[in-house]
Amino acid sequence: MATLKELAKQDELFSGGHRLCAGCGIPPIVRLVLRSANAPVVATTATGCLEVGTTIYPYTAWRIPWVHSAFENAAATISGIETAYRAFKKRGRIPQDKNIKFIAFGGDGGTYDIGLQALSGALERGHNFLYVCYDNGAYMNTGIQRSGATPFGAATTTSPAGDVIPGKQELKKDLTRIVVAHNVPYAAQGSPHNWADLSKKAEKALKVNGPSFLNVISPCPLGWYSKPEESIEAAKIAVDTCYWALYEVENGVLKINYKPKQKRPISDWLKMQGRFKHLLKPENKPLLDRMQQYIDTEWERLLSLEGKII
Amino acid sequence: MTTPAIKGQAGLTGNSAIAYGMKQINPDVCAAYPITPSTGIVEEFSGYVADGAVDTEFITVESEHSAMSACIGASAAGARVMTATSSQGLAYMWEMLYIASGMRLPIVLTDVNRALSAPINIHCDHSDSMGARDAGWIQLYSETVQEAYDNLLQAVRIAEHKDVMLPVMVCLDGFITSHAIENITLINDADVKEFIGEYQAAHPLLDTDNPVTYGAMTLPDTYMEFKHQQSKAIARSKDVVSEIGKEFGKKFGREYGLMEKYKLDDADAAIVILNSAAGTTKVAVDELRKAGKKVGILKPRLFRPLPYREIADALRNVKSVAVLDRVDSMNGFGGPLFNETRSALYELEKRPKVISRIFGLGGRDYKVKDAVQVFDELLKIADTGKVESLTKYIMNKES
């Protein structure tokens, strides 16, 4: 694995000057993943913050070949690109020793929800690509609407904390498990606060032969109602509360990459974010307890699977 | 499965002829999903892939939306790309059709025309391709298996022409043409290869030394320039379609223009009609001509872009015209071919009377007697100058 010094010396493939928000988790994720490739990369991005924030014509933040076509089809688009690459290699139009990596980026809306079918199809077909989901837990680009990745209890513009319904009443979809069920060679969850872990995972994901998947928590000050300067801290506390577990499934074997010495209560994470403000009111204690219970159950489940073929 | 060697004359269904044409084209990438009645194309092409008769990379996608998305990715990567679909499949691709044309990707799609739900119906009409008529794709219509095969080969050249760079849709009638065996003349592999040539994309994604950004976000200050360029390109493509149709004729003996005029020169009454039903109408014309009636047909081959000047010119001396649409625009004012033909004729100082007839929806029969009936009505209009019903369905149902 590259050291931080080595990573910092590499050419920047994702330039500054883009229009993503201050404190957005996406740029550090994308930069780190691109730096881990150690090979030419062709990327696609689903419609969303990353796409609109980086390519306002005639500007582009991408110093690699990049394409955006639509919202729900990043995995299908990268399938086509990767297949063209194989066709060209077979026909001698690309030298045999040239090795290009293919990466699709999508937000949680474009991955958990509208893009799930295309993702499933591409995983099942076994294309050689990495799919990176930056999960900020809502449709942030369109103004913070609820997605299948929105945490239980969170207030969004389509699941507001009202007088009768206190925010989102459903649990988050466990997308990483769904991806693992496709028996892909490598799938993992990462966080931008732990650059070493994320970088190592991106390197592994790009080395395997076949589809790989990274689900990365991505703080969003706009949608989380959190302080931009606390984004990386918010990602860290999400991991320390075990809301967002850092683990990987390599050739079917589950490994937990980080176990907090002392698991922090979920309220530590919630209190940084305005979207959970209502959950911290005394009358909503049962909701807070339910969320804590869900996190505990999921963490126990992961611990019980550690080292096993799942 | 072994691949039969087919040379020269062959009895082939429309689907087999398209699959065979695709085999000869041997595209870099094909991404497709099964749907009746175009499934046969995908099945037969899969056989060519499995047997090594082509070295195309075939992506068996999980939906038509992903089929077109994968085609877009592969085409932007620099590959020559093809697919085939019908009906709901084309409807499901709809979002991506606009993106393929907006990104100026020369993808070739065969649409085996089938009705759209609801109610669900697997048989022929033109609701699918007509629903995509404003998607920025060039559309070629085919009366016969031969025309479908010839159109497919020309479509590759048209799409990839440097003055065009747009996707092309080749349309043929579901079951009527896709499943009927016709004796057609095939072109040998070497000639096909020479005719279509190699495709070298100008800015492929796979050229990692020269990175490009495709599909950037545009705001009101630039979006319109992109659309204006696209609009000019599809308008320009009309001349490219003509040129390539002529070149095809010189090389292979079957010349193609923008439309076919059948006994139209001295006609008083004309039917304008697309695809296989033109064949049925030709029989009616022959019968009526024997009885001394001056009737003819205008069969557009190119519908997108609309060759409006040529249509007006072709119908300049006709007194009455019936435009037969195998689709209803659901606008209370006839089908799309009717509306656009009628609009094209507006430029003429002396305009013929033009009526709309909707026929053959969901595979309903269209018979010679139906065409004869329309011509009788047209000849009456030509005599009296009076139109009794501007728009009407030809129900053709014995009750």
Side-chain angles (χ1 to χ4, degrees), chain A:
Chain A
M1 199 197 95
T3 63
L4 193 55
K5 215 170 180 180
E6 282 165 356
L7 283 174
K9 276 186 191 160
Q10 286 180 9
D11 289 340
E12 187 65 74
L13 301 175
F14 182 82
S15 87
H18 57 71
R19 304 184 193 195
L20 288 158
C21 303
C24 173
I26 305 168
I29 297 168
V30 174
R31 288 173 64 199
L32 202 62
V33 170
L34 293 181
R35 280 165 186 271
S36 307
N38 299 313
V41 176
V42 178
T44 188
T45 299
T47 309
C49 290
L50 177 59
E51 169 259 328
V52 300
T54 58
T55 65
I56 298 181
Y57 185 84
Y59 304 105
T60 181
W62 300 87
R63 291 181 178 148
I64 55 169
W66 179 93
V67 60
H68 156 256
S69 71
F71 192 7
E72 67 281 55
N73 66 348
T77 306
I78 206 79
S79 297
I81 302 168
E82 185 263 354
T83 304
Y85 167 70
R86 281 187 285 114
F88 278 13
K89 269 211 157 169
K90 191 162 68 177
R91 291 178 171 188
R93 288 177 63 181
I94 290 179
Q96 286 308 313
D97 57 354
K98 182 159 187 184
N99 189 13
I100 303 177
K101 304 289 183 188
F102 299 93
I103 307 177
F105 293 98
D108 50 284
T111 310
Y112 283 69
D113 289 353
I114 199 167
L116 184 61
Q117 173 187 306
L119 174 63
S120 175
L123 297 174
E124 180 270 330
R125 291 189 300 272
H127 295 279
N128 200 1
F129 76 110
L130 164 62
Y131 193 104
V132 179
C133 174
Y134 57 92
D135 179 354
N136 50 28
Y139 291 88
M140 301 308 187
N141 187 48
T142 42
I144 322 160
Q145 292 81 31
R146 168 210 192 278
S147 80
T150 300
F152 171 79
T156 71
T157 54
T158 52
S159 64
D163 293 338
V164 179
I165 306 170
K168 188 189 175 190
Q169 292 304 290
E170 301 79 25
L171 295 170
K172 182 187 178 81
K173 186 189 286 187
D174 190 346
L175 181 67
T176 309
R177 254 169 109 188
I178 294 170
V179 169
V180 168
H182 289 74
N183 294 323
V184 295
Y186 188 80
Q189 290 199 163
S191 163
H193 86 276
N194 192 339
W195 67 268
D197 178 75
L198 181 57
S199 173
K200 200 169 160 185
K201 283 172 175 168
E203 269 186 37
K204 274 189 183 181
L206 286 162
K207 256 188 204 143
V208 299
N209 190 20
S212 54
F213 178 79
L214 289 180
N215 203 357
V216 189
I217 190 166
S218 182
C220 172
L222 187 80
W224 290 14
Y225 296 90
S226 54
K227 291 180 185 159
E229 64 272 26
E230 288 182 358
S231 283
I232 295 300
E233 184 66 11
K236 183 178 184 301
I237 297 176
V239 172
D240 281 337
T241 56
C242 297
Y243 169 78
W244 191 262
L246 299 186
Y247 74 98
E248 65 190 347
V249 180
E250 202 172 351
N251 297 317
V253 181
L254 188 141
K255 183 181 172 190
I256 300 171
N257 307 104
Y258 172 78
K259 287 179 203 162
K261 286 192 185 84
Q262 197 167 14
K263 198 166 99 184
R264 293 174 67 164
I266 189 61
S267 53
D268 281 4
W269 188 57
L270 303 190
K271 68 186 179 197
M272 301 177 83
Q273 306 173 53
R275 61 177 174 161
F276 295 116
K277 203 166 78 182
H278 56 289
L279 287 191
L280 301 172
K281 289 180 182 163
E283 65 268 29
N284 282 330
K285 178 81 172 33
L287 294 175
L288 185 64
D289 292 345
R290 190 175 164 208
M291 191 170 186
Q292 185 64 59
Q293 193 189 14
Y294 163 69
I295 290 162
D296 294 346
T297 310
E298 283 303 296
W299 181 243
E300 287 303 318
R301 188 183 62 78
L302 272 184
L303 290 173
S304 73
L305 294 171
E306 165 120 67
K308 291 187 180 148
I309 295 178
I310 61 165

Side-chain angles (χ1 to χ4, degrees), chain B residues 4-121:
Chain B
I6 310 174
K7 275 180 192 160
Q9 293 285 312
L12 291 179
T13 64
N15 279 347
S16 293
I18 292 290
Y20 193 75
M22 286 170 69
K23 175 180 97 84
Q24 294 181 303
I25 293 162
N26 193 12
D28 298 306
V29 174
C30 172
Y33 189 79
I35 183 167
T36 304
S38 65
T39 315
I41 297 172
V42 181
E43 286 175 341
E44 281 189 48
F45 191 74
S46 305
Y48 293 134
V49 174
D51 290 342
V54 291
D55 59 0
T56 303
E57 286 291 332
F58 182 43
I59 320 177
T60 49
V61 279
E62 81 297 333
S63 73
E64 289 91 352
H65 193 282
S66 285
M68 189 45 63
S69 299
C71 285
I72 286 167
S75 185
R80 180 177 270 164
V81 181
M82 303 185 85
T83 187
T85 193
S86 290
S87 182
Q88 305 305 121
L90 191 69
Y92 196 23
M93 282 180 187
W94 194 83
E95 179 194 23
M96 301 316 299
L97 294 177
Y98 281 75
I99 293 171
S101 61
M103 284 168 77
R104 309 291 299 274
L105 299 172
I107 298 162
V108 173
L109 176 151
T110 299
D111 178 46
V112 179
N113 287 108
R114 166 186 152 184
L116 286 178
S117 300
I120 189 169
N121 175 294

Side-chain angles (χ1 to χ4, degrees), chain B residues 272-325:
Chain B
V272 181
I273 196 161
L274 295 169
N275 274 11
S276 68
T280 312
T281 312
K282 283 174 186 171
V283 178
V285 165
D286 291 348
E287 281 183 12
L288 292 167
R289 283 272 172 181
K290 271 184 215 156
K293 294 178 178 167
K294 289 181 170 178
V295 293
I297 299 168
L298 176 67
K299 182 190 79 178
R301 169 182 178 239
L302 182 70
F303 181 70
R304 280 291 179 269
L306 188 78
Y308 60 95
R309 283 201 191 92
E310 292 79 0
I311 287 175
D313 197 49
L315 297 173
R316 175 179 299 277
N317 299 317
V318 176
K319 290 175 184 155
S320 56
V321 175
V323 183
L324 268 64
D325 275 282

